[in-house]
Amino acid sequence: MGGLELALFGVALAVFLAGIGSAIGVGLTAQVANGVLSEQPDLFGKALLLTALPGTQGIYGFLIGFLVIMKLGLIGAPTDVPFYQVITVGQGWQMFASCLPVAFAGLLSAIHQGRACAAGVEMTAKQPDQAGKALVLAVFVEFYAVLGLLTSILLIFRNW
Amino acid sequence: MAVSRLNLANTGKHPVTKGPDFFLFKSDARYAYAVGRIRSLENRYLTRQDIERLIATEESEEAYRFLVEKGYAEGEPKVKTWSDLESCLRIQRQEVLALISTLSKDTSISDLFRERYDFHNLKVLLKARYSGQNLEHLLIDVGTVPVEILTEAVTDDDYRSSPQFISNTVQVVNTRWEKTNNPQLIDILTDGEMYKRFSLVIRPFGNRFLNRWLDLEIDLANIKTLVRVKWLDLDTALLTQSLIEGGSIKETELFPLRETPWETVASFFSKTRYAKTVATGTDALLKSDSFLPLEKMADVTLISYLERAKVQSLGIEPLVAYLLLKEYEFKAVRTVLVGKANHLPAELMRNKLPEYP
Amino acid sequence: MKLQVSATRMELLRLKKRLDLARRGHKLLKDKQDELMRQLLDLIETLRDLRTKAEEQLQDVYRSFLAARLWTDEQMLEEALSFPRKVVDLQVQERRIMNLRVPVLKPRLEGDIYCYGFAHTSGELDACLKKLDSVLEDMVKLSEAEKTLRLLADEIERTRRRVNALEYILIPNLQQTIKYIEMRLEEIELETLTRLMRVKKIIRGE
């Protein structure tokens, strides 16, 4: 396997693992929100925020994937020697490893954030004016997804 | 895919798979929508103030409007008297059961709470058959078997169209009836079969919340039975038949208490979680001949247990808890309605109010 | 009022006998009435006790029943009570007060009053039935006493009517008639005497 394949495999992992996490998280929260909205339609605005929150991990994953593709020179301004033509197997592994933090942090944090948000929506159903607090608590989970994202970015932009 | 397997980890009739559920920590994501809906509905439990307002109403019309405002079923179009309002409660119960049935992903569990009424209907029909009366007006049509089919089955003595538990129960009751001709046994045996059915469905389902609820339910039923038999000085044989198997306290441990003095009963339970229930209950019974405190304490135990489901964010627990807590609310509302119909003074009604969520 | 009878000596004798009989009857009836009256007053005393006791007990029963009813679904409660085991059999015998026949109720109570399971009923129902069970026999006694009282009252009424009829109608009538017949007889006697004297004079005058 060449360096390019390894790097692209990393891209795929970052996008789909984080994406799966977000899909599960949002799906879960959305179901709870639907249940609540069927009885209290006026809570839509608050439920919307909480439902969208687990979706961010997917975006982070996509961002990293995009950055790696840029770095490889597959898109963007053409240069004399695109990186993807000269990438070694070692560099490929490095790229692959750089994608892992956001992939796994995204997957797990999104699922658990989904649970936190689902509980937040339930809480909002009981006390609509406390939605802000539920949001803040759910954001704590986001923090670890952001750490994964940062690590991945730092690794990618290091000059190999 | 790992995740979809995990989503199914806590389903259905099978025992829960062992091992840590890393992604979801054993909560049941299939119930997301249902729990969301239940959470909204939980807002509409009647509060103390609501019950007080209901007590303060003068006219049945006014009470009816108040209940409808609180989300109770519209009931029959011409509601006039207090007893009509009670039928309103019946419709409401039907709606709650139907709601839980549609929301539930584990039909065996949600059906269980409707089967309760199958057992009630069966009792009515068997009594009607043995005594030759027409008791049609006592049937409650919210069970899993429509009353017409059940009536037909009992009249023809052909239970092929009914579920297994119906024919089992009929068989058990029939054998005993032929020997004893004792109508009390119809109730006792059917109740026993009902709890057997609960154990049969809930135990293998493997949900901790439901398991412990069933423990509480059976234990408290047994405690009440024991105290009643003891107080009325009834036959020990009756106690043997009435105690229900499968609770956390073995019935064999309860039998000897039939003969012991009351203090021993209280001290027997003093190390269990029923210590307060039994102590307060028997105390009141001996002092004032009233069972209400015992029953009230038993309800308090169950209600406070069920209310724990309010912090459970996913799973079947909130549904079951909602269904059961709603029953306690109906009990409180019924107390007020019946009290009103009998012109009870407000103060007395407040004393008699059962515990509610 | 005078009776429609011919004024003969025979009739007079008959009437005198009747009057005698009526007087004796009157006295007897009067005694009977007094005795019945005494029995009635006694009975009223016991009845009042029985009644207050039964009423108090029944009120207690209803109070417990209401408590049971408050907490239990209407249909479930009725189901529990729909097939009773207690058999109440009444044997009716008779007893005589004077010539009055009054019933004596002998209840035969069989079986247990508790006819339902414990899982779906309230303990208040037990308390209610326990009280009801104890009040049953008193209620039978009460109904026996009430029936006796009514029969006694009827009998007294009837006796009093007879006494009054004798006292105010038959006896005065008889007395009047006797007096009339006596006067009439006297008149006839006087007439006969006068006629005799007249005849004597005529014979002597010849």
Side-chain angles (χ1 to χ4, degrees):
Chain A
M1 209 188 309
L4 179 61
E5 285 86 345
L6 279 169
L8 287 180
F9 190 44
V11 170
L13 270 186
V15 176
F16 85 69
L17 281 186
I20 285 171
S22 279
I24 293 177
V26 173
L28 186 69
T29 317
Q31 283 188 59
V32 175
N34 276 331
V36 171
L37 292 177
S38 69
E39 299 291 336
Q40 293 161 285
D42 48 317
L43 290 179
F44 179 68
K46 283 160 179 158
L48 181 70
L49 272 181
L50 281 163
T51 310
L53 199 55
T56 50
Q57 279 83 342
I59 299 172
Y60 299 160
F62 173 72
L63 181 65
I64 293 303
F66 189 74
L67 286 176
V68 173
I69 293 171
M70 286 259 289
K71 178 95 178 174
L72 287 171
L74 288 169
I75 49 171
T79 49
D80 298 341
V81 190
F83 186 44
Y84 68 87
Q85 286 177 1
V86 295
I87 190 168
T88 63
V89 174
Q91 281 171 325
W93 276 115
Q94 284 165 359
M95 280 298 172
F96 180 73
S98 317
C99 291
L100 291 184
V102 81
F104 284 103
L107 172 65
L108 293 182
S109 72
I111 293 175
H112 285 280
Q113 194 173 38
R115 284 168 41 76
C117 288
V121 175
E122 288 174 19
M123 193 268 260
T124 311
K126 297 231 148 160
Q127 289 156 314
D129 47 331
Q130 302 294 312
K133 288 175 185 165
L135 201 62
V136 169
L137 292 176
V139 164
F140 282 134
V141 187
E142 188 75 16
F143 184 61
Y144 299 96
V146 173
L147 289 187
L149 174 70
L150 272 181
T151 314
S152 286
I153 290 177
L154 287 176
L155 287 174
I156 290 167
F157 282 101
R158 186 183 177 280
N159 263 331
W160 298 106
Chain B
M1 193 73 240
V3 177
S4 65
R5 184 188 66 77
L6 290 160
N7 263 349
L8 294 169
N10 201 5
T11 62
K13 293 124 195 149
H14 316 293
V16 176
T17 43
K18 290 277 183 297
D21 188 339
F22 187 63
F23 291 97
L24 288 171
F25 295 117
K26 284 197 175 162
S27 77
D28 201 336
R30 296 171 307 143
Y31 281 99
Y33 172 79
V35 175
R37 196 132 172 223
I38 293 296
R39 282 291 119 83
S40 289
L41 290 173
E42 278 173 358
N43 288 335
R44 299 164 102 175
Y45 282 136
L46 294 183
T47 58
R48 306 263 143 196
Q49 286 88 358
D50 292 335
I51 294 284
E52 276 300 317
R53 249 195 78 187
L54 199 58
I55 291 178
T57 51
E58 303 273 330
E59 297 292 318
S60 56
E61 295 270 337
E62 191 187 339
Y64 172 66
R65 274 196 303 277
F66 178 68
L67 283 177
V68 169
E69 183 190 312
K70 287 286 162 193
Y72 272 67
E74 307 276 320
E76 282 127 50
K78 283 182 289 174
V79 172
K80 284 277 176 285
T81 64
W82 293 104
S83 47
D84 287 340
L85 280 181
E86 224 186 322
S87 67
C88 193
L89 275 188
R90 227 165 280 146
I91 294 167
Q92 183 69 8
R93 177 170 65 199
Q94 210 166 333
E95 281 191 358
V96 171
L97 284 168
L99 174 75
I100 298 298
S101 291
T102 45
L103 289 182
S104 171
K105 309 282 178 195
D106 301 292
T107 37
S108 65
I109 296 294
S110 51
D111 278 353
L112 205 53
F113 295 97
R114 291 170 62 203
E115 280 166 21
R116 232 182 216 194
Y117 299 101
D118 289 333
F119 281 104
H120 166 82
N121 291 339
L122 193 60
K123 276 194 265 186
V124 171
L125 289 170
L126 286 176
K127 281 190 172 182
R129 193 173 85 181
Y130 293 140
S131 69
Q133 310 172 63
N134 182 7
L135 300 174
E136 212 178 308
H137 60 291
L138 300 180
L139 295 170
I140 305 178
D141 197 4
V142 293
T144 54
V145 188
V147 288
E148 298 84 34
I149 293 181
L150 198 60
T151 314
E152 213 170 285
V154 174
T155 347
D156 301 346
D157 216 0
D158 174 10
Y159 302 95
R160 271 172 303 183
S161 55
S162 323
Q164 184 73 29
F165 66 87
I166 295 279
S167 51
N168 281 351
T169 312
V170 171
Q171 207 179 354
V172 170
V173 174
N174 266 345
T175 357
R176 288 306 297 276
W177 171 262
E178 275 156 24
K179 279 187 204 140
T180 59
N181 277 9
N182 179 354
Q184 190 173 28
L185 284 180
I186 300 176
D187 275 4
I188 290 177
L189 292 173
T190 316
D191 288 343
E193 288 294 312
M194 189 191 86
Y195 280 107
K196 238 181 244 167
R197 171 93 185 135
F198 267 77
S199 297
L200 203 70
V201 175
I202 287 182
R203 298 299 184 206
F205 186 69
N207 180 311
R208 205 162 148 243
F209 180 82
L210 289 177
N211 260 333
R212 289 196 55 199
W213 170 76
L214 189 61
D215 281 347
L216 281 176
E217 177 85 19
I218 292 181
D219 286 345
L220 287 168
N222 279 346
I223 288 173
K224 280 189 266 183
T225 306
L226 171 75
V227 171
R228 285 165 74 177
V229 170
K230 201 168 159 59
W231 191 71
L232 295 170
D233 209 14
L234 296 179
D235 220 20
T236 318
L238 189 69
L239 185 66
T240 326
Q241 281 160 346
S242 305
L243 288 183
I244 295 146
E245 289 170 39
S248 70
I249 301 172
K250 287 266 159 301
E251 26 347 322
T252 41
E253 291 178 58
L254 293 174
F255 291 140
L257 296 176
R258 164 73 181 79
E259 309 300 337
T260 55
W262 286 101
E263 300 82 60
T264 329
V265 178
S267 68
F268 174 83
F269 287 104
S270 64
K271 286 184 191 71
T272 65
R273 63 188 118 160
Y274 311 111
K276 212 174 142 211
T277 309
V278 176
T280 332
T282 51
D283 216 35
L285 182 63
L286 294 178
K287 274 191 194 125
S288 60
D289 281 2
S290 170
F291 281 101
L292 288 186
L294 176 67
E295 281 168 14
K296 203 165 180 162
M297 287 301 292
D299 285 355
V300 170
T301 315
L302 277 170
I303 289 172
S304 56
Y305 177 70
L306 288 172
E307 277 182 337
R308 288 191 214 167
K310 282 188 181 168
V311 295
Q312 173 106 16
S313 65
L314 291 170
I316 195 173
E317 293 89 340
L319 269 75
V320 173
Y322 176 74
L323 175 70
L324 293 168
L325 289 174
K326 209 66 185 165
E327 284 281 354
Y328 287 106
E329 183 186 303
F330 295 157
K331 197 168 162 182
V333 175
R334 179 169 48 234
T335 304
V336 177
L337 295 181
V338 177
K340 279 282 173 193
N342 288 289
H343 310 289
L344 273 195
E347 202 40 55
L348 200 63
M349 234 184 298
R350 257 175 233 124
N351 286 339
K352 299 267 184 211
L353 263 189
E355 203 56 33
Y356 55 95
Chain C
M1 207 189 70
K2 171 177 88 67
L3 300 177
Q4 293 294 326
V5 286
S6 48
T8 60
R9 205 161 283 276
M10 273 294 280
E11 202 58 47
L12 182 65
L13 278 172
R14 220 168 55 80
L15 281 178
K16 276 193 171 159
K17 239 179 241 162
R18 262 185 82 189
L19 179 63
D20 199 34
L21 192 67
R23 282 221 171 99
R24 261 190 298 150
H26 175 245
K27 191 175 173 303
L28 269 175
L29 279 174
K30 190 90 184 159
D31 285 352
K32 178 181 168 188
Q33 190 191 344
D34 289 348
E35 172 61 16
L36 285 176
M37 224 33 208
R38 199 184 56 76
Q39 294 259 10
L40 184 81
L41 289 176
D42 279 359
L43 196 61
I44 283 176
E45 276 303 303
T46 45
L47 188 69
R48 191 181 296 139
D49 292 348
L50 269 175
R51 182 134 203 133
T52 27
K53 200 172 136 211
E55 256 168 25
E56 263 167 29
Q57 278 175 309
L58 273 182
Q59 220 156 40
D60 227 23
V61 168
Y62 288 133
R63 213 172 293 130
S64 320
F65 183 76
L66 188 60
R69 171 76 181 85
L70 283 176
W71 284 34
T72 327
D73 184 88
E74 194 181 358
Q75 282 148 323
M76 292 199 169
L77 185 65
E78 207 177 312
E79 183 275 324
L81 298 172
S82 62
F83 195 170
R85 287 162 75 195
K86 186 115 191 162
V87 182
V88 181
D89 193 20
L90 269 186
Q91 270 186 333
V92 186
Q93 292 170 340
E94 280 182 350
R95 179 166 73 98
R96 296 180 87 94
I97 303 176
M98 318 293 291
N99 64 338
L100 181 66
R101 284 188 302 213
V102 295
V104 178
L105 304 179
K106 287 247 166 66
R108 213 157 43 86
L109 306 174
E110 261 175 27
D112 217 332
I113 196 159
Y114 311 104
C115 60
Y116 47 81
F118 296 109
H120 285 102
T121 50
S122 160
E124 286 298 305
L125 194 61
D126 299 354
C128 163
L129 289 187
K130 192 179 185 180
K131 287 172 198 159
L132 188 65
D133 201 20
S134 67
V135 85
L136 253 176
E137 228 158 306
D138 282 345
M139 275 168 69
V140 173
K141 256 187 226 149
L142 178 68
S143 64
E144 180 189 307
E146 289 212 331
K147 184 71 193 165
T148 311
L149 186 79
R150 187 162 305 157
L151 288 172
L152 261 180
D154 279 356
E155 184 66 19
I156 288 175
E157 168 97 23
R158 210 172 310 132
T159 318
R160 176 164 333 121
R161 225 180 12 242
R162 280 194 204 148
V163 170
N164 285 351
L166 284 177
E167 191 171 341
Y168 296 112
I169 297 172
L170 191 61
I171 294 178
N173 284 358
L174 284 173
Q175 281 172 334
Q176 223 176 341
T177 318
I178 288 169
K179 206 170 177 191
Y180 163 76
I181 296 178
E182 278 175 346
M183 272 158 69
R184 184 92 182 99
L185 284 177
E186 250 169 57
E187 213 172 292
I188 292 172
E189 213 170 317
L190 202 66
E191 221 172 79
T192 323
L193 200 65
T194 327
R195 202 183 293 137
L196 274 178
M197 283 167 76
R198 182 92 180 127
V199 169
K200 227 175 180 177
K201 208 180 208 176
I202 292 172
I203 293 173
R204 269 194 207 137
E206 268 184 327

